[in-house]
Amino acid sequence: YETECLDKLFNANLNPELNLELTDIWGQTLAHHAIISSNNTGCLKRLITTNINFNTQDHDGNAPIHCAISLYHTNPEYFDILIEAHLKN
């Protein structure tokens, strides 16, 4: 379901300059939330296909990779996906 929502957002073309770097009050981006709030690795994989910056740090200095590391015991696949994407770039 969550991947479907992202696909609709990206394919809507309502705003061709969709700002994927918008942050919430904690400085977290869509990339942070894809890891923290989702139990669906498909969302993270879908975000990797965009131009989103996975190095953006929140107000505590945490980048999405830090979130993936802190949740590694719950779902190690998030960390593996981010590392694989980083190695491809």
Side-chain angles (χ1 to χ4, degrees):
Y1 171 74
E2 291 163 341
T3 305
E4 181 181 323
C5 290
L6 283 177
D7 286 338
K8 287 181 181 180
L9 176 67
F10 295 135
N11 295 331
N13 292 326
L14 297 176
N15 183 353
E17 297 185 21
L18 182 64
N19 185 353
L20 298 176
E21 301 304 316
L22 290 176
T23 61
D24 63 14
I25 61 172
W26 299 280
Q28 295 178 335
T29 65
L30 191 55
H32 289 89
H33 287 283
I35 295 168
I36 297 168
S37 305
S38 175
N39 246 347
N40 182 344
T41 56
C43 290
L44 183 58
K45 289 177 182 177
R46 178 65 177 98
L47 282 175
I48 287 172
T49 67
T50 69
N51 63 348
I52 196 166
N53 180 357
F54 279 91
N55 295 316
T56 303
Q57 295 180 355
D58 64 17
H59 297 317
D60 292 325
N62 295 315
I65 190 75
H66 298 123
C67 299
I69 291 168
S70 70
L71 296 172
Y72 188 81
H73 65 283
T74 306
N75 191 343
E77 192 174 0
Y78 288 119
F79 179 76
D80 296 339
I81 291 167
L82 287 174
I83 293 299
E84 182 180 326
H86 179 72
L87 293 175
K88 287 182 182 179
N89 294 331

